[in-house]
Amino acid sequence: MKNGGKVAALAAGVGLVAGIWPAHALTVFVSNEQGNTISVIDGETQEVINEIAVGNRPRGIALGHDNRFLYICASDDNTIQVMDTETLELVDTLPSGPDPELLVIAPQGDRLYVANEDDNLVTVIDLETREMIAEIPVGVEPEGMGVSPDGKIVVNTSETTNMAHFIDTDSYEIVGNVLVGQRPRIAEFTSDGSEVWVTAEIGGTVSVIDPVGMEVMREISFEVAGVEPEALQPVGVKILEDRSKAYVALGPSNRVAVIDAQTHEVLDYILVGQRVWQLELTPDETTLYTSNGVSNDVTLIDTATDTAMVSIPVGSFPWGIAIKP
Amino acid sequence: MIRLCTTVVLAILAATTAARAVDVEIVFLSRDQEERLPLSFVDPIVEDPGVWGARLALDDNKTTGGFLGHTYSLVERVLAADEDIAAVFEEERQSGRTLFISDLPRDDLQAIAEHPEASEALIFNGRVGDDDLRINVCFDNVFHTAPSRSMRTDALVQFLVWKRWPRLYLVSGTQENDVAFADAIRRSAEKFGAQVVAESDYAYSAISRRTDSGHIQIQDQMPLATQEGGEYDVLVVADENEVFGEYLPYNTYAARPVAGTHGLVAMSWHRVLEQWGSTQIQRRFEQVADRWMEERDYGAWLGVRSIGEAVTRLNSADAAEMRAFLRSPDFEIGGFKGVGLSYRSWDQQMRQPVLIANKRVLVSASPQPGFLHERTPLDSLGYDEPESECRLQ
């Protein structure tokens, strides 16, 4: 179980010696669920340059439209905190329902959708007025939030109901429900809007859903020799813009699966840190960041070679990742 | 809670396309019993054990059912001390009800499982952990959501072996269930390479939990009762009836930790669990029940949720269809323990991780790393197929 560390040390050596690391003027934010902080990483030097104390149990984080503000689900404080990404100061809070876990921002940048795990609700917040404008009843323990590229549909997953709920963002009504595997965690649209990928942590699958017919087109499952099937728990998912590949974090198996996003075949597994949870791509999609909860670090994966390059220690129990260009 | 459910149903019915109306009635059976009070005053006296787990799971099923056109209701039958279980069961079967959550004690559970009317019913045992119900008293129509006694002792001994504390000093009460717990510990020790190096009985009769200057006697008695341990690592106590086990930690003759029914315990559920998303169910439960969720609640919750999951996937509440599905590899449910839970086909025992906890925090959860099994590490807990005579088909 110490492999994550070994890979990190090795990869760090390779990166430094070869000097092949591409230059980024990026700032990476990582929420630390247990540390109650946000780690701020300089994407160029790959060093943690700051650690900011925030609310209790920060989990899902997302950048607003112009990247000026970072929105932070402070789950145990039942609120969403707003951080100014230039001054790194907390400037406001938003009226979320109880226990916000994951949020997504409309592509137009005007609205924020958040899953309230305790209340079986999805809450809609107007980012201009910073007021709650709607609450949508969904299944038990809402979690994953995905928004279609045109902003017209939000998909929410409910962990105990085991469904993906399709919500019309004009009427705020549910227009369809799709049964998926046990404990669905994340919903992610492809960039062309033609597929929604839903990961099921306990079910061990990714359901690829046709958002028009609202049917599961394909179930992707995972298998790694020598790893017990129960440990292969899909959580975070990121799909490249051109749909050549997708990446799925597999939790306590400490691996990220690489998937052909056209054929849905699993191509490879990349060993990262312990309990890999969420994923985020840099804007140029050359690098994938993974948050590794148990080993308290993030791993950087080169998406050209699908290899782990370096791991960076962050705060305690890293969870969400957001990357500012 | 009720208001919320109604809103959900209305919002969703409009959007549902492939709804086939299924009406699911579930009967919850329990018996009002005088429970012995816990020795510790910080242990709550549990009001209405079991039923709140069934009620909460019913709400969870209703929310899901609202999206699919399935409705659920719960018929609660809590028997008085002298009421005849067979008559109540027969009455419910005559009304056409087939799905039962049993929060009944052992004899009552067996009475309904053996009842002629039980052949077309499904009974979910959320309470009784007796091993014989998993190895030689086998019922086609009973699914066990409560862990067996040997699942608990296997979970605990795996942890002690993982800690490299293999030398056990077994101190047992003398009542029937204490003897069964002690037997299970001996079996677990042999199974995982630990050794019971010494044994003592504790045969004092039950004492009141509230006595003036009571600690003075206890401080004298417990070292006396535990001085035969010799060289050992952990004192394992078998006191299922809450007679003396609570008094052992810090009062043992040797400076050794206490585990078993007291001290470090193996549980299917405990308030200290906050991992694997259990924060949500712990909060939901406390909101509706106004107390902590206990093991019997969790057992009933798993039973009602198993029914809900089967109805959701099958679009039917036919008992025979449900039984086949629950036994199949296609069935699993999330139970806030980090892995999917399913039923063993030979004895219809639910596979589940077992919590290792003290009164204040979660210490670990078994199966422990390194205890492997050809099917799943979860089957390293409890009697395995070759050790059981049950061959349910």
Side-chain angles (χ1 to χ4, degrees), chain B residues 49-367:
Chain B
V51 69
W52 281 108
R55 289 175 186 162
L56 181 65
L58 195 84
D59 278 347
D60 293 347
N61 286 359
K62 277 180 173 172
T63 305
T64 304
F67 296 98
L68 299 165
H70 304 159
T71 57
Y72 293 86
S73 55
L74 190 67
V75 178
E76 299 175 11
R77 300 291 305 259
V78 179
L79 282 70
D82 56 353
E83 212 172 336
D84 178 16
I85 183 64
V88 171
F89 182 72
E90 193 164 334
E91 196 183 306
E92 293 298 333
R93 286 290 297 117
Q94 301 288 325
S95 313
R97 298 181 175 127
T98 55
L99 303 171
F100 294 84
I101 303 299
S102 171
D103 179 62
L104 294 164
R106 164 65 192 254
D107 292 349
D108 287 338
L109 170 65
Q110 190 156 349
I112 62 169
E114 287 172 344
H115 196 284
E117 286 280 357
S119 63
E120 283 166 35
L122 296 182
I123 298 163
F124 294 84
N125 163 33
R127 177 171 172 187
V128 181
D130 292 354
D131 281 311
D132 63 337
L133 292 174
R134 283 82 173 169
I135 52 178
N136 51 31
V137 185
C138 327
F139 296 106
D140 278 341
N141 46 14
V142 177
F143 287 81
H144 304 281
T145 56
S148 65
R149 197 174 269 116
S150 64
M151 286 169 74
R152 288 178 201 268
T153 58
D154 281 355
L156 187 65
V157 172
Q158 274 192 7
F159 177 74
L160 299 180
V161 168
W162 184 88
K163 291 290 295 177
R164 303 191 192 286
W165 296 342
R167 296 173 304 171
L168 313 181
Y169 172 30
L170 182 57
V171 178
S172 351
T174 51
Q175 300 186 53
E176 202 179 337
N177 49 356
D178 298 333
V179 171
F181 190 90
D183 284 345
I185 287 286
R186 286 186 206 98
R187 177 188 162 275
S188 298
E190 196 182 339
K191 182 173 171 183
F192 298 119
Q195 303 91 41
V196 177
V197 294
E199 296 198 29
S200 298
D201 284 347
Y202 189 93
Y204 297 97
S205 59
I207 47 178
S208 165
R209 65 181 193 156
R210 186 178 275 137
T211 46
D212 268 350
S213 334
H215 81 274
I216 297 173
Q217 259 190 10
I218 289 160
Q219 196 173 331
D220 288 341
Q221 283 173 357
M222 292 301 145
L224 276 175
T226 57
Q227 60 186 352
E228 302 299 327
E231 286 289 312
Y232 71 95
D233 299 312
V234 181
L235 187 150
V236 176
V237 54
D239 171 29
E240 288 202 352
N241 306 298
E242 191 74 9
V243 176
F244 66 99
E246 198 69 78
Y247 294 137
L248 287 174
Y250 309 104
N251 270 324
T252 50
Y253 182 78
R256 295 286 181 275
V258 173
T261 55
H262 294 80
L264 189 70
V265 297
M267 306 279 282
S268 67
W269 192 256
H270 198 291
R271 179 60 191 89
V272 296
L273 181 66
E274 283 282 321
Q275 290 177 194
W276 303 307
S278 61
T279 301
Q280 268 65 49
I281 190 172
Q282 300 275 26
R283 283 189 190 158
R284 276 210 306 283
F285 187 89
E286 284 160 32
Q287 262 172 19
V288 296
D290 209 19
R291 63 167 174 79
W292 291 346
M293 189 173 194
E294 304 285 342
E295 285 192 305
R296 280 162 66 182
D297 301 307
Y298 183 66
W301 186 89
L302 286 173
V304 174
R305 281 289 303 126
S306 293
I307 294 171
E309 181 62 18
V311 172
T312 299
R313 303 283 168 181
L314 295 171
N315 227 358
S316 160
D318 176 77
E321 270 183 69
M322 286 173 69
R323 180 174 184 274
F325 176 68
L326 292 169
R327 292 171 43 79
S328 77
D330 295 334
F331 174 81
E332 67 174 351
I333 61 167
F336 305 93
K337 289 186 175 175
V339 295
L341 312 182
S342 58
Y343 291 100
R344 293 173 182 154
S345 60
W346 63 92
D347 60 358
Q348 291 171 186
Q349 165 68 52
M350 182 167 266
R351 300 183 168 97
Q352 55 189 300
V354 175
L355 311 180
I356 306 295
N358 65 35
K359 269 198 162 54
R360 300 187 67 85
V361 289
L362 184 73
V363 175
S364 184
S366 289

Side-chain angles (χ1 to χ4, degrees), chain A residues 80-138:
Chain A
I80 294 170
Q81 296 183 310
V82 185
M83 179 191 277
D84 184 319
T85 60
E86 278 162 27
T87 65
L88 301 181
E89 281 174 6
L90 296 172
V91 292
D92 206 354
T93 56
L94 299 181
S96 89
D99 200 12
E101 178 161 0
L102 270 167
L103 50 78
V104 67
I105 292 167
Q108 295 78 5
D110 55 341
R111 280 177 284 180
L112 181 153
Y113 304 93
V114 57
N116 296 122
E117 254 195 308
D118 264 6
D119 249 15
N120 304 347
L121 292 172
V122 166
T123 304
V124 187
I125 296 165
D126 183 320
L127 285 178
E128 189 72 31
T129 62
R130 294 187 171 171
E131 280 174 7
M132 186 192 298
I133 51 174
E135 285 184 323
I136 304 146
V138 290

Side-chain angles (χ1 to χ4, degrees), chain A residues 31 33 57-60 101-102 143 159 183 185-186 199 201-202 231 233-238 247-256 272-280 289-294 297 317-321, chain B residues 276-277 338:
Chain A
S31 63
E33 181 185 6
R57 202 179 185 199
R59 290 192 282 174
E101 178 161 0
L102 270 167
E143 167 109 6
E159 288 175 328
R183 224 173 149 71
R185 297 299 298 248
I186 300 287
T199 57
E201 180 191 3
I202 298 295
Q233 301 186 346
V235 184
V237 53
K238 284 289 159 195
Y247 297 87
V248 174
L250 294 174
S253 73
N254 311 330
R255 284 162 171 83
V256 172
V272 291
Q274 286 180 269
R275 202 200 75 154
V276 54
W277 214 238
Q278 301 289 352
L279 305 173
E280 189 57 270
Y289 279 71
T290 77
S291 62
N292 313 320
V294 172
D297 52 13
F317 262 81
W319 204 98
I321 310 169
Chain B
W276 303 307

